[in-house]
Amino acid sequence: MGPRGISSALSCVFVITGPSGVGKGTLIRALRQRVPELELSVSATTRRPRPGETQGVDYHFLSENEFDRHVAAGEFVEWAEYSGRRYGTLRTELEDRVKAGRPVVLEIEVQGARQVRSTVPDAVQVFIAPPSPETLRLRLVARGTDSPDDVERRLAVARAELAAQGEFPHVVVNDRLEDAVDELEKIVRAGLGQPLPSTP
Ligand code: ADP
Ligand code: 5GP
C-alpha cells in the first residue's frame, strides 16, 4: 500500500465493477435493501446530470476545473476517464467510514477498480458480467438514458472491460436479477463476517 493508501482493516470496502448497462446500479440498490448498513460512496463526475439525478446523491457533479483541483490536491482514491468524461472516488467518501468501521460500496468502472487494488488492497472486488455481450446493448437501449452515440461509445469500452473480468476474484453473472443479488449478498456477508439470514 502506498503512503496515500487507505487500509480497510477495520471495515470492508466493496468494489462493484463491470460494463455500463450490466446492472451494477440495479444490483447495488437491491443489495442495500438486504444489507442496509452498507453505505454508498457518492462519486464525482464531470458528466451532466441525467433527468432525475440529484447533486450530492447520485453524484457530486463537478466542472472540469473543480475536478482538476481535486486531482491536483490528491483528493481522489482513484479516478478515470470514461466515454469522454471523468469519474472519481473522493477520499472523503471513504476515510471517515473506514475509520468508523462502516462498510461502504463503490460502483466504478474497471480502470478505477484496478487503481483501488493498490490504494485499498483489502477491498473486496466483484465484477458483474452480462449473460451475453448482446445483453448490454438491449439493456442500455431499454434504460433510455444515453444517446445512440453514447450507447455505442459505452459498448466499445465494454469490449475491453469484459476482457478484464479474469482479473477479478469474484464474477457475478447478472442474468436473473434475484439470483445475481443472492450471489452478491453472499459475497458481501462473507466479507463482513456475517452469516446469511435463514430463508423462511
Ligand atoms: P449499470 O449501472 O451497470 O450501468 P443499470 O443498473 O442502470 O446498469 O441497468 C441497466 C438496465 O438494465 C436498466 O434499465 C435495468 O433496469 C436493467 N437490468 C438490470 N439488471 C437486469 C436483469 N437482471 N435483467 C434484465 N434487466 C436488467
Ligand atoms: P454513468 O455515466 O453510467 O453514471 O457511469 C459511467 C461509468 O462510470 C460506469 O461504469 C460507472 O460505474 C463508472 N463510475 C461511476 N463512478 C465512478 C468513479 O468514482 N470512479 C470510476 N473509476 N468510475 C466510476
Side-chain angles (χ1 to χ4, degrees):
M1 191 175 68
R4 302 282 292 158
I6 291 176
S7 170
S8 72
L10 289 178
S11 80
C12 246
V13 175
F14 297 93
V15 173
I16 309 295
T17 191
S20 186
V22 76
K24 301 182 296 295
T26 306
L27 284 168
I28 290 171
R29 269 194 300 280
L31 175 70
R32 291 183 66 225
Q33 285 180 349
R34 296 191 189 185
V35 190
E37 69 267 36
L38 204 54
E39 298 182 22
L40 187 64
S41 161
V42 177
S43 294
T45 183
T46 59
R47 86 151 162 73
R48 303 278 82 82
R50 294 174 182 146
E53 286 184 330
T54 306
Q55 174 71 284
V57 175
D58 297 287
Y59 278 106
H60 301 292
F61 294 100
L62 304 182
S63 68
E64 295 290 345
N65 282 342
E66 287 167 332
F67 201 99
D68 282 342
R69 279 201 290 275
H70 287 297
V71 172
E75 286 165 0
F76 282 115
V77 176
E78 60 76 32
W79 70 269
E81 188 164 327
Y82 176 91
S83 196
R85 299 294 182 181
R86 287 182 290 171
Y87 296 79
T89 306
L90 289 163
R91 288 181 179 281
T92 47
E93 290 292 319
L94 290 191
E95 273 171 348
D96 288 352
R97 289 170 169 138
V98 167
K99 270 187 216 137
R102 279 143 54 197
V104 55
V105 62
L106 275 57
E107 192 229 293
I108 63 178
E109 51 69 74
V110 166
Q111 303 169 73
R114 286 190 179 123
Q115 295 169 46
V116 172
R117 259 179 237 155
S118 41
T119 50
V120 194
D122 305 325
V124 176
Q125 298 224 357
V126 186
F127 186 96
I128 311 295
S132 72
E134 299 76 50
T135 320
L136 293 178
R137 181 187 299 279
L138 297 175
R139 288 186 186 169
L140 282 174
V141 170
R143 190 171 72 183
T145 52
D146 305 283
S147 68
D149 278 357
D150 206 23
V151 167
E152 293 313 315
R153 268 198 297 274
R154 285 164 183 256
L155 291 172
V157 177
R159 275 192 278 280
E161 292 182 317
L162 290 174
Q165 68 181 274
E167 297 173 18
F168 292 88
H170 302 282
V171 176
V172 171
V173 178
N174 182 20
D175 189 356
R176 206 179 143 264
L177 187 65
E178 285 300 299
D179 293 343
V181 182
D182 284 349
E183 224 177 304
L184 201 51
E185 183 184 0
K186 274 187 201 142
I187 294 166
V188 167
R189 293 212 186 266
L192 296 175
Q194 293 177 355
L196 269 178
S198 54
T199 42

